[in-house]
Amino acid sequence: MDLALNEDQRSFAQLTREFLEREVVPHRAEWDRREQVDRALVGKMGELGLLGLTIPEEYGGIGGDLLTYALTMEELGRADSAARGIVSVSNGLVGTSIVNYGSEEQKQQWLPRIASGQSLGCFGLTEPDTGSDAANLRMRAVRDGDGYVLDGQKIFITNGTWADVALVFARTGGEGPKGVSAFLVPTDTPGFEAREIKGKLGLRGQATAELFLSGVRLPSSARLGDEGEGFKIAMSSLDKGRISVAAGCVGIVQGCLEATVAYAKERRQFGRPIASFQMVQDLIADMSVDADAARLLVWRAADLYVRGEAYGVAASKAKYFASEAAVRAANNAIQVYGGYGYVDEYPVQKYMRDARVMTLYEGTSQIQKLLIGRAETGVSAFL
Ligand SMILES: Cc1cc2nc3c(=O)[nH]c(=O)nc-3n(C[C@H](O)[C@H](O)[C@H](O)COP(=O)(O)OP(=O)(O)OC[C@H]3O[C@@H](n4cnc5c(N)ncnc54)[C@H](O)[C@@H]3O)c2cc1C
């Protein structure tokens, strides 16, 4: 097994780091306080290629491999998970679904705009009464002449108020996963409304919204994939999305580690740097092992994907481990910072608040364990 990165992968990650150190790191605390990243960041990320990372070149993207994508998500997670989420959802969940399931017309319509940052996408699966149990979602899409009429509600939708296109999952058939279809809804369609959810614990710079669809009329050409294929599209996007979340979590662990080591060497108590105390090194050592272990799980999942092998369970393992590791690392980092870790002059309390959602979204830790348990035992605990 060759764990060495190639020149393209290394240089794109380096370019991304330099960009983020310049355009994001100096502003992240302020964006977090005012609960909004600077909108201009979207265009800048588009120019660098971050929003078209996995979109083929013929549609305006840079057609990077999944390991390059993971490395870039790690850099974004290290800098600011709010920015990482914008990219993961627009390019990862929405762009990739269009690449894999879109008609030529849908690809031409949306991919170049998503890749450049001219348009953002959001991914509307979760509803107020169906989170983990997404296969039972209630939003309806009823056939009407040559098209559909959509009615229902979505909640916790990243990029919701900023998006130009919403990939929305709605019920066209009977109960369960086979009754779900996917639709690309331009957000200026009459009857579509997005309301921002304020007061989040973390990811405060990111626009998270409730979506209300009331009599939204769409032509059949807005359906992504076949009727009844929606749940499959959602799950395949989320398998890949979990690699992205996991990679972002590696970035959180790495960011916590770097910040903590620097602080521990500088901060003195009892006449010595606190880095010289064994119990402080214990906390740092755990963070260091977590960073390596989480990164290797991410790379393994990305490598399986690149080689065309089954990668879903590997992605679940990476997402489960890395998200829990991010919470542990941020907690350790605050411990080493002492009281200074509790205020946002230093980055570690934001890492803690941002990390906390990682064990919840794109499948909670419990759901990842059920997926892993099903793979090990052959028995589904979902039924
Ligand atoms: C900031 C943020 C951004 C988000 N972005 C998006 C987005 O862009 N698009 C989108 O569609 N959704 C998004 N979500 C929603 C997210 O994916 C859901 O919150 C998540 O799937 C969990 O669903 P829930 O909140 O309804 O919790 P529930 O499903 O109600 O779960 C509550 C608890 O019960 C546990 N549980 C549930 N079922 C089982 C089971 N079978 N066995 C054991 N335990 C179980 C869960 O693990 C959890 O601990 C976002 C959420 C947040 C907070």
mmCIF file of all heavy atoms in Angstrom, residues 227-245:
data_model
loop_
_atom_site.group_PDB
_atom_site.id
_atom_site.type_symbol
_atom_site.label_atom_id
_atom_site.label_comp_id
_atom_site.label_asym_id
_atom_site.label_seq_id
_atom_site.Cartn_x
_atom_site.Cartn_y
_atom_site.Cartn_z
ATOM 1 N N GLU A 227 -38.280 8.153 -11.586
ATOM 2 C CA GLU A 227 -39.239 8.190 -10.496
ATOM 3 C C GLU A 227 -38.958 6.994 -9.578
ATOM 4 O O GLU A 227 -38.717 5.877 -10.070
ATOM 5 C CB GLU A 227 -40.673 8.136 -11.040
ATOM 6 C CG GLU A 227 -41.621 8.923 -10.184
ATOM 7 C CD GLU A 227 -42.998 9.103 -10.786
ATOM 8 O OE1 GLU A 227 -43.837 8.220 -10.567
ATOM 9 O OE2 GLU A 227 -43.232 10.143 -11.444
ATOM 10 N N GLY A 228 -38.942 7.219 -8.264
ATOM 11 C CA GLY A 228 -38.675 6.136 -7.316
ATOM 12 C C GLY A 228 -37.189 5.919 -7.033
ATOM 13 O O GLY A 228 -36.817 5.099 -6.200
ATOM 14 N N GLU A 229 -36.328 6.696 -7.724
ATOM 15 C CA GLU A 229 -34.879 6.511 -7.551
ATOM 16 C C GLU A 229 -34.298 7.486 -6.528
ATOM 17 O O GLU A 229 -33.101 7.469 -6.242
ATOM 18 C CB GLU A 229 -34.202 6.741 -8.909
ATOM 19 C CG GLU A 229 -33.007 5.854 -9.150
ATOM 20 C CD GLU A 229 -32.348 6.103 -10.513
ATOM 21 O OE1 GLU A 229 -32.729 7.048 -11.231
ATOM 22 O OE2 GLU A 229 -31.429 5.350 -10.826
ATOM 23 N N GLY A 230 -35.165 8.350 -5.968
ATOM 24 C CA GLY A 230 -34.673 9.436 -5.126
ATOM 25 C C GLY A 230 -33.906 8.994 -3.887
ATOM 26 O O GLY A 230 -32.865 9.554 -3.552
ATOM 27 N N PHE A 231 -34.416 7.973 -3.215
ATOM 28 C CA PHE A 231 -33.752 7.568 -1.975
ATOM 29 C C PHE A 231 -32.368 6.980 -2.273
ATOM 30 O O PHE A 231 -31.408 7.236 -1.540
ATOM 31 C CB PHE A 231 -34.613 6.574 -1.195
ATOM 32 C CG PHE A 231 -34.172 6.425 0.222
ATOM 33 C CD1 PHE A 231 -34.335 7.467 1.132
ATOM 34 C CD2 PHE A 231 -33.555 5.259 0.665
ATOM 35 C CE1 PHE A 231 -33.898 7.353 2.448
ATOM 36 C CE2 PHE A 231 -33.118 5.147 1.974
ATOM 37 C CZ PHE A 231 -33.292 6.186 2.866
ATOM 38 N N LYS A 232 -32.296 6.247 -3.381
ATOM 39 C CA LYS A 232 -30.995 5.698 -3.788
ATOM 40 C C LYS A 232 -30.002 6.840 -4.078
ATOM 41 O O LYS A 232 -28.839 6.798 -3.672
ATOM 42 C CB LYS A 232 -31.188 4.848 -5.054
ATOM 43 C CG LYS A 232 -29.965 4.106 -5.487
ATOM 44 C CD LYS A 232 -30.239 3.243 -6.700
ATOM 45 C CE LYS A 232 -29.667 3.889 -7.943
ATOM 46 N NZ LYS A 232 -29.995 3.210 -9.183
ATOM 47 N N ILE A 233 -30.505 7.886 -4.740
ATOM 48 C CA ILE A 233 -29.642 9.041 -5.040
ATOM 49 C C ILE A 233 -29.178 9.693 -3.737
ATOM 50 O O ILE A 233 -27.996 9.997 -3.549
ATOM 51 C CB ILE A 233 -30.397 10.077 -5.926
ATOM 52 C CG1 ILE A 233 -30.708 9.458 -7.293
ATOM 53 C CG2 ILE A 233 -29.611 11.374 -6.054
ATOM 54 C CD1 ILE A 233 -31.574 10.335 -8.198
ATOM 55 N N ALA A 234 -30.126 9.869 -2.796
ATOM 56 C CA ALA A 234 -29.768 10.504 -1.521
ATOM 57 C C ALA A 234 -28.717 9.677 -0.783
ATOM 58 O O ALA A 234 -27.717 10.217 -0.288
ATOM 59 C CB ALA A 234 -31.017 10.669 -0.654
ATOM 60 N N MET A 235 -28.926 8.370 -0.725
ATOM 61 C CA MET A 235 -28.000 7.533 0.048
ATOM 62 C C MET A 235 -26.620 7.465 -0.612
ATOM 63 O O MET A 235 -25.600 7.464 0.074
ATOM 64 C CB MET A 235 -28.568 6.114 0.240
ATOM 65 C CG MET A 235 -29.781 6.071 1.166
ATOM 66 S SD MET A 235 -29.480 6.808 2.804
ATOM 67 C CE MET A 235 -30.498 8.267 2.748
ATOM 68 N N SER A 236 -26.588 7.418 -1.947
ATOM 69 C CA SER A 236 -25.257 7.349 -2.578
ATOM 70 C C SER A 236 -24.534 8.686 -2.401
ATOM 71 O O SER A 236 -23.318 8.722 -2.204
ATOM 72 C CB SER A 236 -25.342 6.926 -4.043
ATOM 73 O OG SER A 236 -25.851 7.961 -4.826
ATOM 74 N N SER A 237 -25.275 9.814 -2.423
ATOM 75 C CA SER A 237 -24.611 11.107 -2.160
ATOM 76 C C SER A 237 -24.078 11.134 -0.740
ATOM 77 O O SER A 237 -22.984 11.642 -0.483
ATOM 78 C CB SER A 237 -25.579 12.280 -2.264
ATOM 79 O OG SER A 237 -26.348 12.198 -3.386
ATOM 80 N N LEU A 238 -24.870 10.601 0.201
ATOM 81 C CA LEU A 238 -24.450 10.673 1.606
ATOM 82 C C LEU A 238 -23.264 9.756 1.892
ATOM 83 O O LEU A 238 -22.407 10.090 2.713
ATOM 84 C CB LEU A 238 -25.622 10.352 2.536
ATOM 85 C CG LEU A 238 -26.693 11.455 2.594
ATOM 86 C CD1 LEU A 238 -27.875 11.024 3.450
ATOM 87 C CD2 LEU A 238 -26.130 12.773 3.112
ATOM 88 N N ASP A 239 -23.180 8.612 1.195
ATOM 89 C CA ASP A 239 -21.998 7.752 1.379
ATOM 90 C C ASP A 239 -20.732 8.544 1.083
ATOM 91 O O ASP A 239 -19.763 8.516 1.836
ATOM 92 C CB ASP A 239 -22.057 6.558 0.408
ATOM 93 C CG ASP A 239 -22.868 5.405 0.981
ATOM 94 O OD1 ASP A 239 -23.196 5.448 2.183
ATOM 95 O OD2 ASP A 239 -23.174 4.462 0.219
ATOM 96 N N LYS A 240 -20.782 9.256 -0.040
ATOM 97 C CA LYS A 240 -19.615 10.051 -0.432
ATOM 98 C C LYS A 240 -19.481 11.262 0.494
ATOM 99 O O LYS A 240 -18.387 11.656 0.882
ATOM 100 C CB LYS A 240 -19.789 10.496 -1.879
ATOM 101 C CG LYS A 240 -18.498 10.750 -2.576
ATOM 102 C CD LYS A 240 -18.743 10.860 -4.060
ATOM 103 C CE LYS A 240 -17.656 11.672 -4.709
ATOM 104 N NZ LYS A 240 -17.975 12.010 -6.094
ATOM 105 N N GLY A 241 -20.647 11.836 0.849
ATOM 106 C CA GLY A 241 -20.648 12.992 1.740
ATOM 107 C C GLY A 241 -20.005 12.671 3.082
ATOM 108 O O GLY A 241 -19.380 13.527 3.709
ATOM 109 N N ARG A 242 -20.146 11.433 3.509
ATOM 110 C CA ARG A 242 -19.559 11.058 4.812
ATOM 111 C C ARG A 242 -18.039 11.104 4.765
ATOM 112 O O ARG A 242 -17.390 11.400 5.774
ATOM 113 C CB ARG A 242 -20.051 9.666 5.211
ATOM 114 C CG ARG A 242 -21.468 9.738 5.746
ATOM 115 C CD ARG A 242 -22.159 8.427 5.907
ATOM 116 N NE ARG A 242 -23.571 8.706 6.191
ATOM 117 C CZ ARG A 242 -24.578 7.902 5.927
ATOM 118 N NH1 ARG A 242 -24.356 6.712 5.395
ATOM 119 N NH2 ARG A 242 -25.806 8.252 6.222
ATOM 120 N N ILE A 243 -17.474 10.825 3.604
ATOM 121 C CA ILE A 243 -16.011 10.957 3.468
ATOM 122 C C ILE A 243 -15.647 12.432 3.623
ATOM 123 O O ILE A 243 -14.650 12.784 4.270
ATOM 124 C CB ILE A 243 -15.538 10.408 2.098
ATOM 125 C CG1 ILE A 243 -15.858 8.914 1.996
ATOM 126 C CG2 ILE A 243 -14.042 10.667 1.908
ATOM 127 C CD1 ILE A 243 -15.454 8.265 0.679
ATOM 128 N N SER A 244 -16.489 13.287 3.069
ATOM 129 C CA SER A 244 -16.229 14.719 3.144
ATOM 130 C C SER A 244 -16.335 15.230 4.588
ATOM 131 O O SER A 244 -15.465 15.972 5.074
ATOM 132 C CB SER A 244 -17.245 15.409 2.230
ATOM 133 O OG SER A 244 -17.224 16.762 2.371
ATOM 134 N N VAL A 245 -17.384 14.818 5.296
ATOM 135 C CA VAL A 245 -17.531 15.234 6.703
ATOM 136 C C VAL A 245 -16.356 14.691 7.514
ATOM 137 O O VAL A 245 -15.748 15.411 8.316
ATOM 138 C CB VAL A 245 -18.861 14.733 7.306
ATOM 139 C CG1 VAL A 245 -18.931 15.047 8.796
ATOM 140 C CG2 VAL A 245 -20.047 15.354 6.591
#
